[in-house]
Amino acid sequence: MYMTASHSSRAHPRLFITEVDLERLILLQPGQGDFTDHALSSLDRFCEACVPWHAVPYQQEIHNPLLIRARHAQKIIWSLCLQWKRTGKERFRQAVLDYLKEMGEWTYWSSDCMRDGNTDPQANFDLSYGENCFTIALAYDLLFASLSEAERKAIHDMAFRWGIEPGRKFCREGGATWFRYKNCNWNTVCAGGLGALVLSMEEEIEDASELLAQVELSLTPYFEYLDENNGGWPEGLGYWNYGMRYAYLYVFSWEHARGQTHRFMEGKGSQQTVHFPLDFFPRGACVGFGDVNQWRPLPFHIRLAARYGEEGVLRKLREAIEGLGADYGAQSQWPVDALSLVFAADLVTTASLDVEQAGQRIYQPMGWGVMKCGDPKGIYVSVRGGSSKVPHSHQDLMAICVVVGDEPLLSHHGTGYLDTTFSSRRYDLPELSALYKNTLFVNGVSLPPEAVLDETSEVSIQGYLGMRLLGTQAMEKVMRNQALSFLGRLVLRLSDDAVLLVDRCHQPSYGLFEARFHTTGDVHLSAADEGHSACVHGERSQLHFAFVGSGSCVLASSGICTTLIGEDGGRLLRFGTPERQSSDCVLVTLMSLKPVEDLTLAREGDALEISWTIENESQLLQVQADLC
């Protein structure tokens, strides 16, 4: 029943958009000469196109149509709310009410329920529910002072029917599978959306305190897991954006409503995580792993970095946003333009971008590493260690990605979601399997889809920094039920211009060993009598490869067969043994911006001696057989 209890907490607006934010938004005018000009223009055009009301569009043939509808609705409603705040024009406020009315009249909020024909609002509480709840929460918060009793009751009734009552059922032990899920975006989207709705209508919900306690109970393992991984997130870049967006918009809302710092902001992972996506987004290129290997800065990231005084992160975010220009918000399903204007004051006062410093980092224990270079035209490498027993993971352990300048030359090919993507046949899809990853194969197979490397560690050999990946125990028995004696990959950064890979496999008997490299560039192989070398040409850069093995090896290039017919999936470079000729094989790959004149490999007892020559300068490296 609708209640008109007196407010006992902060007056509206009380969620993540504050009174100061709204005052700044109203004062913001075109002509600043930065990203706000694009955002203001885009917001104006978008809002005009949304008035008067027309049904929120969505495509039924896509993977999760009602989730995409929920995002379109949020973009429309939040944009119109803020445009009303900016301009004071009643037609924008009325349009918000019309779109909210449409949400309340939807037959289904969940795509699964739509497929099953189940019209019970309490049949599910999935991602669509979570996003819709947050959409209603902020709209109610921003409109509150202007609402008539009838308007307020209409929103309240919809929120209870589709949000609060299902939330009571699912946000608890034994309720939804996402409850207290430590490493999955579903937790923060669903619990965070419910929590925001409760905060927005707190005085009208008799059990608000109990519901918020359940929200906090659900979110706690997520933030503890973030602390454990020192800010890293194994779901990958796209799902970092998704899960953290709802996590921190809820936290900011709680803090504003309560007038105090949330305990989640005090964890070490929260401050460290502002760096994570940027480490895997060098110069605008994505070098992450797993599903949705895409990233662009979202406005919540601006406020999170500002809260911790991370000026370097703010500079990088600004550069990334301004580099996207007018496409920044226009291509997003969420209200990026509107919210970037709300948080603009946190961003535009920073100084010019600093030069990237060379170095490396592994986010432990999840095992994702980056090897940075100081030269903006140099080689930037990411390394996939750790575990693939995490949501949205691919079969890509021991893989690398390589960016030259601002162009990814070694990457992994992805595909959109199909109904098989999250089925038991997931790894039959070539883009998710190891087939086209930049990793290792023993007797035709790579590490299993769900495995944990024996070790992912940083090393220093003769002054060269690098990373060592061991998969001996992680590789299942590959020949006559016998285990490997050794499987490892060493990645060494020789300079900003060169990176060395040393791969070794010791099998119980003679077998095959191969390293694969996937690229969307043009591949040019050397003549047969010129040694094993190749060059990958991108649109703006190129990368030279030299190969040498401990036995008779071959180098070949082949195309790939993608899930989508007619799609150009790029090319594979394959280097390894063409037949069963050795039980202990070493493969060496040297990647360089300059042609490699010579590359040799010799074994001296338990040591590997690797020498190379670039521009008439020769170097010798000695590596132990265990790649130390």
Side-chain angles (χ1 to χ4, degrees):
M1 186 176 186
Y2 181 66
M3 300 165 57
T4 55
S6 61
H7 293 187
S8 58
S9 59
R10 182 188 295 274
H12 296 275
R14 65 174 62 151
L15 298 186
F16 65 89
I17 297 179
T18 70
E19 300 91 332
V20 173
D21 291 330
L22 292 172
E23 291 169 2
R24 289 171 173 170
L25 177 67
I26 293 168
L27 294 174
L28 196 58
Q29 298 295 323
Q32 303 297 315
D34 57 23
F35 76 93
T36 60
D37 290 344
H38 290 303
L40 285 167
S41 177
S42 179
L43 180 62
D44 287 342
R45 291 193 305 271
F46 181 76
C47 290
E48 291 298 332
C50 294
V51 177
W53 169 87
H54 49 274
V56 177
Y58 72 100
Q59 299 171 282
Q60 288 205 29
E61 66 272 16
I62 60 178
H63 169 66
N64 193 340
L66 299 194
L67 178 59
I68 304 306
R69 182 183 66 177
R71 293 174 184 171
H72 290 326
Q74 184 178 108
K75 184 172 184 176
I76 292 168
I77 290 170
W78 286 8
S79 297
L80 289 170
C81 278
L82 292 169
Q83 190 75 332
W84 169 61
K85 288 292 187 181
R86 279 186 64 226
T87 66
K89 294 181 179 179
E90 172 63 20
R91 61 194 179 95
F92 294 126
R93 192 192 81 94
Q94 183 57 51
V96 173
L97 295 174
D98 292 339
Y99 284 106
L100 288 171
K101 181 175 181 291
E102 179 195 349
M103 289 181 67
E105 294 172 348
W106 286 341
T107 306
Y108 309 101
W109 271 21
S110 163
S111 296
D112 287 342
C113 288
M114 181 175 67
R115 292 189 181 102
D116 296 339
N118 191 338
T119 60
D120 180 5
Q122 296 189 45
N124 205 337
F125 198 111
D126 62 6
L127 296 171
S128 302
Y129 277 73
E131 296 208 37
N132 286 334
C133 283
F134 221 130
T135 298
I136 297 167
L138 185 65
Y140 189 72
D141 190 42
L142 295 177
L143 293 177
F144 186 85
S146 74
L147 294 173
S148 68
E149 188 69 14
E151 291 168 341
R152 189 176 295 125
K153 183 178 186 305
I155 299 173
H156 168 276
D157 290 349
M158 171 182 60
F160 267 66
R161 180 170 185 258
W162 283 103
I164 300 302
E165 291 172 1
R168 290 183 178 125
K169 177 180 178 181
F170 287 98
C171 190
R172 60 179 178 81
E173 293 287 355
T177 56
W178 50 257
F179 186 77
R180 291 182 60 79
Y181 205 147
K182 70 177 184 179
N183 59 1
C184 183
N185 61 89
W186 279 64
N187 186 354
T188 56
V189 176
C190 296
L194 175 63
L197 188 59
V198 174
L199 286 170
S200 183
M201 298 183 163
E202 191 167 5
E203 299 82 4
E204 304 161 29
I205 304 170
E206 290 181 327
D207 58 343
S209 296
E210 291 80 1
L211 272 173
L212 284 174
Q214 290 298 105
V215 167
E216 297 277 321
L217 184 63
S218 185
L219 295 177
T220 296
Y222 186 93
F223 282 93
E224 289 175 345
Y225 190 72
L226 188 64
D227 289 343
E228 291 171 13
N229 284 286
N230 295 292
W233 197 252
E235 282 189 293
L237 300 184
Y239 284 101
W240 183 93
N241 255 358
Y242 190 26
M244 299 300 165
R245 178 179 191 259
Y246 282 96
Y248 285 105
L249 290 183
Y250 165 75
V251 169
F252 297 154
S253 297
W254 186 95
E255 290 186 324
H256 188 216
R258 294 290 184 263
Q260 62 189 78
T261 300
H262 198 291
R263 61 190 174 91
F264 293 155
M265 293 295 290
E266 297 172 349
K268 64 178 182 179
S270 280
Q271 181 163 4
Q272 292 171 321
T273 202
V274 301
H275 299 274
F276 174 72
L278 291 165
D279 279 345
F280 291 87
F281 189 69
R283 311 161 198 148
C286 287
V287 292
F289 305 95
D291 290 341
V292 193
N293 184 33
Q294 302 169 11
W295 186 83
R296 60 177 54 203
L298 293 179
F300 85 90
H301 199 167
I302 298 170
R303 176 129 300 174
L304 185 62
R307 280 287 301 274
Y308 291 117
E310 292 281 359
E311 293 187 1
V313 172
L314 289 170
R315 288 194 289 269
K316 290 180 180 179
L317 291 174
R318 188 191 67 184
E319 183 182 68
I321 291 170
E322 293 184 344
L324 291 165
D327 290 338
Y328 173 52
Q331 294 184 357
S332 177
Q333 297 171 343
W334 289 312
V336 167
D337 284 322
L339 293 186
S340 67
L341 293 170
V342 170
F343 299 145
D346 292 336
L347 192 63
V348 297
T349 57
T350 58
S352 59
L353 186 65
D354 292 335
V355 175
E356 181 76 67
Q357 298 298 312
Q360 66 179 32
R361 174 177 185 177
I362 299 178
Y363 284 87
Q364 296 286 28
M366 63 176 275
W368 288 29
V370 288
M371 303 172 72
K372 306 176 182 181
C373 61
D375 184 352
K377 296 181 180 180
I379 300 174
Y380 195 109
V381 180
S382 64
V383 177
R384 175 66 165 102
S387 169
S388 56
K389 293 182 178 182
V390 291
H392 295 290
S393 182
H394 288 189
Q395 189 181 1
D396 58 2
L397 288 178
M398 304 183 83
I400 62 167
C401 291
V402 174
V403 170
V404 175
D406 63 354
E407 188 171 16
L409 289 188
L410 291 185
S411 58
H412 66 77
H413 187 70
T415 189
Y417 284 161
L418 303 169
D419 288 346
T420 48
T421 303
F422 300 107
S423 74
S424 61
R425 301 293 297 277
R426 172 178 174 84
Y427 293 104
D428 288 350
L429 295 169
E431 293 86 353
L432 278 61
S433 75
L435 289 175
Y436 307 133
K437 307 301 185 188
N438 306 308
T439 189
L440 304 176
F441 290 77
V442 180
N443 291 320
V445 300
S446 187
L447 290 162
E450 295 186 358
V452 181
L453 290 188
D454 311 357
E455 180 182 318
T456 305
S457 60
E458 297 186 57
V459 296
S460 177
I461 301 176
Q462 292 181 206
Y464 298 119
L465 295 179
M467 299 179 189
R468 179 176 181 254
L469 310 175
L470 296 185
T472 308
Q473 300 300 318
M475 176 65 87
E476 294 176 346
K477 297 174 181 179
V478 293
M479 185 175 178
R480 296 181 181 177
N481 206 34
Q482 292 180 298
L484 299 179
S485 299
F486 185 86
L487 178 65
R489 162 164 277 184
L490 176 66
V491 188
L492 286 181
R493 178 180 169 274
L494 305 180
S495 68
D496 284 351
D497 296 345
V499 172
L500 185 73
L501 301 181
V502 184
D503 302 317
R504 178 174 172 246
C505 177
H506 190 184
Q507 305 181 50
S509 184
Y510 294 154
L512 304 178
F513 188 40
E514 176 187 348
R516 293 185 187 176
F517 304 92
H518 171 260
T519 182
T520 55
D522 294 327
V523 176
H524 300 273
L525 301 184
S526 62
D529 60 352
E530 294 178 356
H532 299 305
S533 62
C535 187
V536 172
H537 295 267
E539 294 181 359
R540 299 174 300 279
S541 58
Q542 64 181 19
L543 187 62
H544 296 274
F545 289 77
F547 304 90
V548 66
S550 58
S552 176
C553 296
V554 296
L555 174 66
S557 172
S558 64
I560 72 173
C561 181
T562 61
T563 299
L564 299 181
I565 299 173
E567 183 180 32
D568 182 7
R571 303 287 298 176
L572 276 180
L573 275 171
R574 303 177 61 183
F575 180 68
T577 56
E579 58 188 15
R580 295 158 55 107
Q581 58 179 265
S582 174
S583 62
D584 192 354
C585 183
V586 178
L587 305 177
V588 178
T589 305
L590 178 55
M591 296 174 284
S592 172
L593 299 187
K594 302 165 185 174
V596 180
E597 296 154 22
D598 187 43
L599 177 65
T600 65
L601 168 66
R603 299 197 68 159
E604 297 291 337
D606 289 334
L608 309 174
E609 289 192 351
I610 303 165
S611 65
W612 64 91
T613 302
I614 300 175
E615 291 190 330
N616 296 319
E617 183 176 341
S618 297
Q619 300 289 337
L620 176 65
L621 177 72
Q622 189 173 78
V623 178
Q624 297 303 307
D626 60 358
L627 304 186
C628 286

